[in-house]
Amino acid sequence: MGEAKPSEVEERPKWDNKVQYLLTCIGFAVGLGNVWRFPYLCQIYGGGAFLIPYLIALVFEGLPLLYLELAIGQRLRMGSIGVWNAISPLLGGVGIASMIVSFLVGIFYNTILAWVLWYFFHSFQNPLPWSYCPLNESLTEYNVECEKSTSVNYFWYRETLNITPNIETSGSLQWWMVVCLASAWCVVYICFIKGIESMGKAVYVTATFPYLVLTIFLIRGLTLPGATDGLIYLFTPDWEILKNPQVWLDAATQIFFSLSVAFGGLIAFSSYNSERNNCERDAVLVGVINSATSLYASIPIFSILGFKATTAYNSCLQENILVLTNHFEISDQNITLDNYKQWFKYLNETHYEAVTSLQLKSCDLQTFLDQSASGTGLAFIVFTEAVKEMPASQIWAILFFVMLFCLGLSSMFGNIEGVLTPIRDLKMVPKWMPNEVLTGLVCLVSFLTALIFTLGSGNYWVEVFNGYVGSVPLLIIAFFEITAVIYIRGMKNFSEDLYFMTGRRPNIFWKACWMVISPVMLLVVLIAYVVIQAQQHPSYPAWNPDYDLFPQTEQTPYPDWVFAIIVLLCLVPVIPIPLVALYKLIRRAIRKPSARADPNPYCNDGFEIETHVVVRRRS
Amino acid sequence: MFEKILFLLFLSSALAQELCEPGTSDGYKVRFSIRTALGSDAYAWNEDEKFLFRATLAYAMRKQKSELQFEVSNVIVCGETQRVSFWFVVTSPLNATRLISKVDVESAVRKSRPRINSAFLLTDKTLEFVGISPTLAAPVEPATPPWLIVFGVVMGLVAAGIVALLASSLVQRKRRKKEAHERHTQRHREENGSANEGVYNMSFSDNERVTQM
């Protein structure tokens, strides 16, 4: 059937099938945090006991917010700005806030992916470059900085980041990092080049491959010596910890950031769905799979960390054994790891002064297990240290970094979508510009902005962004989201929307959560978070080779100008909310209100009444 | 006669004992960790192994000072322990009471270290000369850093993919425009009534009475 004239309204892109949509949402939610933040929290907050606040937060805060976002996007069929504009023109700022946060998070998140790529490229060498120290210039001994810390630390801080001693010293652009960053953005671009057509195919790989690798690591990890020590350490519940309010706060924030709500990406993804899709089931599925993945990931991670602790403990003991054997001229291999304790007791009793003069190291497995880390420290220092002790280390390193890359890439899709869809919906793009060019422009601008993170002080800036952009603004946006839908659009209207889409009205659980429990929880978490952050002057761990206690990191307070930037980063995303509301109010007061420009065909009241009649007639 | 021979023997061994003492300033301490290195294939330390050590060291001294003909008897071992550690000194072949200086012994050992190690199937760590630190093995640096090769392969694929996808979407768009243009001109022709191109379709002509779609 030919078209009378080129249609002005472009067909909204659609998912090829339900699986693509689910995999995209799951991929967006399941990210690096599931692998390197959740196991750490589990460990420091009394293992199995942490699951209780975590699951409570999931059920009462995570799932309702997730369901809300997916439902509103699917019903109003627009990106984040369009949706909030449709609910009330005064709320357009919420969408702009989501867009800004998505952009800011996207630029530092892709820098982490650039680091993962760097390690991936280096995993093809034998021996692994982080397993040995390079020689100094005169080739007489090993590099001093590497000797004092470890080869793994040296490779991360010096050869990868070439980090400066503090955030004020910017250093210069590290060319190898720029190259890796460009590669990361190129990979994001190629997956996004045709919008959700190409991305929908990419998620088949990026969303499923991490599970395959986690299973492989699970099998490998459980067979390593010391794995059980790690697992016992992780899961031993310490019920006393539940009395500490910090635990509840961290559980709530972890669930919130883990599900990637308030970025606008989920709204955009569900807007490409057909109208009568059961979003309730999707939301519960995505939320449960996200938490299950966190749990599933913590098992291989902690098996391998247990292995690392055991290896370090055994090396410590071996050093002591060598010292004792050499000093007391005992036959080689008479003292072994098994009988070390008896030998030590015997020697201590018979030759007390000699043994004390040797200054043996005290080796304690608990201390090694306590050396936990989260975030980049876990992936690039702790895990690489463990991997180099495993046989066939290259394979494990390659698998691990490909998994991290897939996890991060599928989350990047959501971030980019959260930037692109509002731009398209706002119709800020000239008609002649095809989508590929727009996507390319967004990637290019993001790449150029992210060059800050390739400076010598880049890692410090990533920590600043990670800690402050992706926290308070998101909480504020989520609070406005839930208020907008439930109180401004109205619970009744929203119930009718859900009835239209899923065929049944929301039950008492959802209603109670949306109206009372979730907003209250969000408010409490937000206030508690701000209060705790405001209590101490923020500081950061700096890698300073001239520090007295090197190789420990030096806790340096942020200088004032960085502190000002931090405050800006928290405020700039949320400023549009009041600004846009003010602007719209002023405009409304200046000229008489006329018909809304660009009415959203899906948000027309008359249309809604009709559907009631139609539905009733059909049933 | 017999007593003289006995006396000389005692004298020589006493002298040898005097020359070599644990803690001597002209000799080195050696430590063997055979069981650590070889595990179940470990050989027992006995007089034959000691002989091999003395012979290997004589070889090392010969290589270092090619003008002197060192013999096994020039290497004296003392202070043996159960650890398998002992001290050794090297005497000059010209004068049995004069010891070769520590510096010369050290350079001889450094020069022939790999040969000494392999004679005993040991490594720098398991055959330790206390005071002579092993020369560090410089890590092998290939001409092109391997990471650049992997990077080149990956980025080549990605760039090729981008170009291919952009080209295919350009081609698709051109095709769509051409089709739309063709359909547009075809309809113009039908509307104008010139049915010279194409077959005159009876059923279509009926439709002219009905509202055009």
Side-chain angles (χ1 to χ4, degrees):
Chain A
M1 188 62 214
E3 295 157 3
K5 49 186 175 207
S7 55
E8 280 170 3
V9 178
E10 222 180 69
E11 276 269 330
R12 195 165 186 80
K14 276 208 303 268
W15 296 109
D16 283 345
N17 52 45
K18 186 76 182 289
V19 175
Q20 261 186 19
Y21 163 63
L22 278 177
L23 280 180
T24 311
C25 287
I26 291 172
F28 185 29
V30 172
L32 296 170
N34 295 66
V35 164
W36 71 32
R37 181 113 179 105
F38 176 79
Y40 169 74
L41 286 177
C42 233
Q43 178 198 344
I44 61 170
Y45 285 136
F50 180 70
L51 290 177
I52 293 183
Y54 185 71
L55 288 173
I56 291 179
L58 172 70
V59 166
F60 289 107
E61 187 194 354
L63 289 181
L65 275 170
L66 194 57
Y67 186 15
L68 189 110
E69 279 215 356
L70 292 183
I72 203 73
Q74 188 176 301
R75 181 73 186 91
L76 298 179
R77 306 183 73 70
M78 295 207 84
S80 59
I81 295 188
V83 155
W84 305 119
N85 257 335
I87 292 185
S88 157
L90 298 178
L91 284 176
V94 177
I96 298 181
S98 282
M99 186 171 85
I100 298 178
V101 167
S102 286
F103 175 72
L104 289 175
V105 169
I107 53 176
F108 85 78
Y109 208 79
N110 219 22
T111 312
I112 300 179
L113 288 190
W115 294 336
V116 171
L117 266 186
W118 167 262
Y119 270 81
F120 169 69
F121 292 149
H122 278 83
S123 303
F124 287 90
Q125 280 174 249
N126 186 23
L128 290 171
W130 56 81
S131 60
Y132 60 85
C133 272
L135 298 175
N136 67 5
E137 268 148 20
S138 50
L139 298 182
T140 51
E141 50 174 36
Y142 294 116
N143 181 301
V144 171
E145 190 183 348
C146 190
E147 274 288 284
K148 280 207 226 167
S149 59
T150 62
S151 55
V152 168
N153 274 338
Y154 179 77
F155 185 74
W156 167 237
Y157 285 112
R158 192 51 53 210
E159 298 203 20
T160 307
L161 300 173
N162 198 11
I163 206 165
T164 54
N166 51 43
I167 200 173
E168 289 143 314
T169 333
S170 292
S172 55
L173 287 176
Q174 316 297 322
W175 68 267
W176 57 91
M177 269 299 119
V178 175
V179 159
C180 285
L181 189 67
S183 329
W185 278 110
C186 282
V187 174
V188 170
Y189 180 55
I190 194 181
C191 290
F192 235 88
I193 214 171
K194 291 205 172 177
I196 65 168
E197 270 180 54
S198 50
M199 184 187 65
K201 302 204 174 36
V203 283
Y204 283 126
V205 174
T206 61
T208 52
F209 191 70
Y211 290 96
L212 179 66
V213 174
L214 278 176
T215 314
I216 296 176
F217 267 108
L218 180 75
I219 300 173
R220 172 76 262 220
L222 287 176
T223 54
L224 288 170
T228 31
D229 291 314
L231 286 176
I232 294 172
Y233 184 68
L234 169 70
F235 284 122
T236 312
D238 172 20
W239 305 106
E240 291 296 311
I241 210 102
L242 293 178
K243 297 187 190 148
N244 179 4
Q246 180 76 21
V247 178
W248 295 87
L249 177 64
D250 272 338
T253 42
Q254 170 63 14
I255 268 292
F256 182 75
F257 300 135
S258 180
L259 285 173
S260 309
V261 293
F263 277 92
L266 287 170
I267 298 182
F269 288 145
S270 63
S271 72
Y272 301 130
N273 267 335
S274 65
E275 276 198 300
R276 292 181 186 275
N277 174 48
N278 188 352
C279 46
E280 179 180 6
R281 203 182 47 195
D282 297 340
V284 172
L285 204 61
V286 171
V288 165
I289 289 183
N290 178 53
S291 295
T293 309
S294 294
L295 261 158
Y296 188 58
S298 53
I299 301 179
I301 297 278
F302 265 84
S303 318
I304 292 177
L305 290 184
F307 163 72
K308 172 181 172 295
T310 307
T311 314
Y313 173 66
N314 285 347
S315 312
C316 180
L317 281 183
Q318 290 283 16
E319 274 177 34
N320 284 356
I321 289 176
L322 194 64
V323 169
L324 284 174
T325 315
N326 284 349
H327 190 261
F328 290 104
E329 307 288 1
I330 303 166
S331 187
D332 185 31
Q333 289 295 313
N334 260 11
I335 312 182
T336 60
L337 291 171
D338 302 319
N339 58 25
Y340 171 76
K341 283 211 176 63
Q342 292 105 300
W343 266 102
F344 183 71
K345 206 164 137 225
Y346 164 71
L347 288 172
N348 214 12
E349 281 164 9
T350 46
H351 301 93
Y352 180 68
E353 292 89 22
V355 171
T356 1
S357 70
L358 287 174
Q359 292 184 322
L360 296 172
K361 284 199 255 192
S362 66
C363 301
D364 180 24
L365 185 59
Q366 257 330 93
T367 334
F368 290 112
L369 283 170
D370 280 334
Q371 284 169 2
S372 58
S374 76
T376 51
L378 177 74
F380 299 123
I381 300 179
V382 171
F383 210 80
T384 44
E385 178 114 36
V387 153
K388 76 174 187 252
E389 305 290 340
M390 293 159 74
S393 3
Q394 281 78 13
I395 301 179
W396 305 115
I398 293 171
L399 275 178
F400 180 65
F401 290 117
V402 172
M403 173 185 83
L404 284 187
F405 192 72
C406 286
L407 283 171
L409 190 65
S410 50
S411 298
M412 272 307 290
F413 291 155
N415 286 327
I416 298 287
E417 190 66 29
V419 174
L420 279 178
T421 317
I423 292 182
R424 273 199 284 265
D425 289 340
L426 273 183
K427 305 216 192 317
M428 296 190 315
V429 179
K431 284 260 162 49
W432 51 264
M433 190 183 286
N435 277 335
E436 289 88 349
V437 175
L438 174 67
T439 316
L441 265 177
V442 168
C443 287
L444 185 66
V445 169
S446 308
F447 165 67
L448 292 174
T449 325
L451 284 177
I452 320 167
F453 303 120
T454 56
L455 292 170
S457 52
N459 187 38
Y460 301 133
W461 286 109
V462 169
E463 291 302 319
V464 166
F465 271 65
N466 190 15
Y468 297 104
V469 164
S471 56
V472 170
L474 284 175
L475 287 166
I476 297 178
I477 293 173
F479 181 74
F480 273 99
E481 280 188 6
I482 206 171
T483 324
V485 172
I486 299 302
Y487 292 108
I488 300 185
R489 185 170 174 77
M491 190 70 226
K492 197 144 156 251
N493 278 338
F494 191 53
S495 298
E496 293 301 329
D497 290 333
L498 291 173
Y499 183 58
F500 170 66
M501 289 192 294
T502 65
R504 51 174 189 281
R505 300 220 163 75
N507 58 27
I508 191 72
F509 167 71
W510 294 118
K511 282 203 179 137
C513 282
W514 282 327
M515 296 183 76
V516 178
I517 303 180
S518 298
V520 165
M521 270 183 94
L522 270 178
L523 214 55
V524 167
V525 167
L526 175 64
I527 294 176
Y529 202 88
V530 171
V531 162
I532 289 183
Q533 291 288 345
Q535 271 178 349
Q536 348 113 317
H537 191 91
S539 65
Y540 65 101
W543 181 259
N544 185 4
D546 298 322
Y547 183 45
D548 305 325
L549 296 177
F550 186 78
Q552 284 179 36
T553 50
E554 186 183 2
Q555 278 297 117
T556 330
Y558 281 119
D560 287 329
W561 62 276
V562 175
F563 194 66
I565 293 184
I566 289 177
V567 171
L568 260 179
L569 280 176
C570 287
L571 284 182
V572 160
V574 293
I575 279 283
I577 302 180
L579 274 184
V580 166
L582 218 65
Y583 169 68
K584 288 273 162 69
L585 276 174
I586 293 176
R587 249 188 34 179
R588 203 184 274 185
I590 288 180
R591 61 183 174 96
K592 289 294 164 218
S594 52
R596 255 185 298 188
D598 289 333
N600 185 340
Y602 299 105
C603 196
N604 186 339
D605 285 325
F607 191 55
E608 276 177 30
I609 297 173
E610 240 184 271
T611 51
H612 286 312
V613 177
V614 168
V615 163
R616 263 189 233 122
R617 268 206 218 120
R618 263 191 238 140
S619 59
Chain B
M1 184 63 192
F2 184 61
E3 288 118 2
K4 269 194 205 150
I5 296 170
L6 269 174
F7 179 67
L8 274 168
L9 271 171
F10 274 134
L11 195 63
S12 59
S13 61
L15 259 174
Q17 291 291 63
E18 269 179 30
L19 288 169
C20 173
E21 279 182 345
T24 177
S25 56
D26 289 310
Y28 281 98
K29 181 170 183 179
V30 186
R31 277 198 206 114
F32 279 69
S33 308
I34 308 171
R35 251 179 267 164
T36 314
L38 301 169
S40 48
D41 296 326
Y43 48 82
W45 184 258
N46 51 26
E47 287 299 317
D48 303 328
E49 304 292 340
K50 207 162 82 171
F51 179 81
L52 178 59
F53 178 77
R54 292 165 67 206
T56 328
L57 228 72
Y59 160 78
M61 292 308 301
R62 279 202 190 192
K63 267 186 88 171
Q64 171 71 1
K65 288 183 171 271
S66 42
E67 65 275 13
L68 295 172
Q69 294 270 347
F70 285 92
E71 297 293 340
V72 179
S73 49
N74 291 122
V75 182
I76 309 173
V77 163
C78 58
E80 256 189 88
T81 65
Q82 240 195 344
R83 167 75 177 82
V84 191
S85 70
F86 49 82
W87 287 80
F88 74 93
V89 292
V90 184
T91 58
S92 165
L94 303 170
N95 183 351
T97 49
R98 205 166 61 89
L99 292 174
I100 303 289
S101 71
K102 206 168 176 174
V103 182
D104 290 329
V105 175
E106 177 174 343
S107 33
V109 168
R110 267 194 206 278
K111 206 167 170 184
S112 310
R113 191 68 185 267
R115 296 296 294 271
I116 302 176
N117 284 350
S118 60
F120 289 95
L121 308 173
L122 297 174
T123 65
D124 280 346
K125 272 179 86 178
T126 40
L127 171 47
E128 197 186 341
F129 284 83
V130 180
I132 305 180
S133 50
T135 34
L136 304 164
V140 172
E141 296 273 342
T144 25
W147 79 268
L148 276 178
I149 300 176
V150 184
F151 163 76
V153 167
V154 170
M155 284 319 290
L157 288 170
V158 170
I162 291 181
V163 167
L165 284 171
L166 282 176
S168 81
S169 67
L170 243 158
V171 163
Q172 252 182 19
R173 196 163 301 139
K174 273 210 190 111
R175 202 180 300 151
R176 226 182 292 147
K177 240 189 258 176
K178 212 167 77 168
E179 272 174 18
H181 186 74
E182 269 180 23
R183 250 182 264 127
H184 196 73
T185 49
Q186 211 178 33
R187 201 175 308 111
H188 268 300
R189 280 189 225 117
E190 281 154 8
E191 283 170 6
N192 290 345
S194 59
N196 285 340
E197 287 91 21
V199 178
Y200 188 70
N201 188 335
M202 292 297 295
S203 57
F204 199 178
S205 63
D206 275 347
N207 266 358
E208 283 186 45
R209 278 194 271 136
V210 182
T211 330
Q212 284 214 313
M213 294 254 250

